[in-house]
Amino acid sequence: KTAMRIVEIMKVMEARHPVVMATRVSAEESAEIQAALPQATYFEMARICAIQPSVPLAIRPGKLSILTAGTADLPVAEEAAVTAELCGFQVTRLWDVGVAGIHRLLSNRHVIDQSDVLIVAAGMEGALPSVVAGLVDCPVVAVPTSVGYGASFNGLAPLLTMLNSCATGIG
């Protein structure tokens, strides 16, 4: 969609909803959107342009943690984190805790164990969600990313790994 089309949509939605988001927005598009809607905020890493209520939403119950295997997964993970925060959830971020340095994951076990839901983004071979799901008894949302190096085949390899996981609780 063009920036001006996004502006039209956001204006209509703002009258009906306390939070309005446009995702996958470039910095250039966000500048055009913010010129027309100065109340909009741009979250650069997440690539989200949003209109938020003047009074923050009530905090929703539950502990949501978002993990990434590597730093290349950050834009996808930040998109999930900002979306959750705009919807009223408190989010804990654990970046770069992939299986290549599993000590980074295990040193954050207390955060993982206290979470009610985990969103786990991974590219390359996509092993992190399976490892995490083997450690916890809460739902794990596995998110394959199309970034990374090696033979990830633009996200196909991590997707297949996540679909074939034998760990319970993965969606």
Side-chain angles (χ1 to χ4, degrees):
K1 294 180 178 52
T2 66
M4 287 305 107
R5 184 73 180 134
I6 293 170
V7 167
E8 291 173 20
I9 294 167
M10 291 180 90
K11 283 181 178 178
V12 170
M13 292 183 73
E14 183 180 23
R16 298 180 180 147
H17 301 283
V19 176
V20 179
M21 295 185 329
T23 60
R24 305 294 168 107
V25 174
S26 70
E28 295 79 23
E29 291 168 326
S30 81
E32 287 183 60
I33 294 167
Q34 288 177 302
L37 298 170
Q39 70 276 32
T41 303
Y42 185 59
F43 300 87
E44 186 174 6
M45 178 71 74
R47 298 170 296 171
I48 290 176
C49 196
I51 298 173
Q52 304 170 67
S54 55
V55 176
L57 297 176
I59 301 215
R60 294 183 181 267
K63 295 184 180 184
L64 173 64
S65 295
I66 303 178
L67 292 70
T68 69
T71 55
D73 306 312
L74 285 175
V76 171
E78 266 300 306
E79 184 177 5
V82 169
T83 298
E85 288 172 338
L86 288 170
C87 292
F89 291 96
Q90 290 185 336
V91 175
T92 300
R93 293 163 168 83
L94 294 176
W95 298 161
D96 200 19
V97 294
V99 298
I102 200 149
H103 62 283
R104 297 184 308 248
L105 176 66
L106 297 177
S107 69
N108 286 289
R109 181 76 191 260
H110 62 288
V111 174
I112 296 164
D113 288 342
Q114 293 172 359
S115 299
D116 296 307
V117 175
L118 295 158
I119 298 173
V120 184
M124 207 160 155
E125 85 287 350
L128 184 61
S130 294
V131 171
V132 170
L135 295 171
V136 300
D137 63 356
C138 67
V140 174
V141 179
V143 181
T145 65
S146 58
V147 295
Y149 52 90
S152 68
F153 299 107
N154 293 320
L156 181 61
L159 172 64
L160 293 174
T161 297
M162 293 171 193
L163 289 173
N164 288 305
S165 176
C166 63
T168 59
I170 290 185

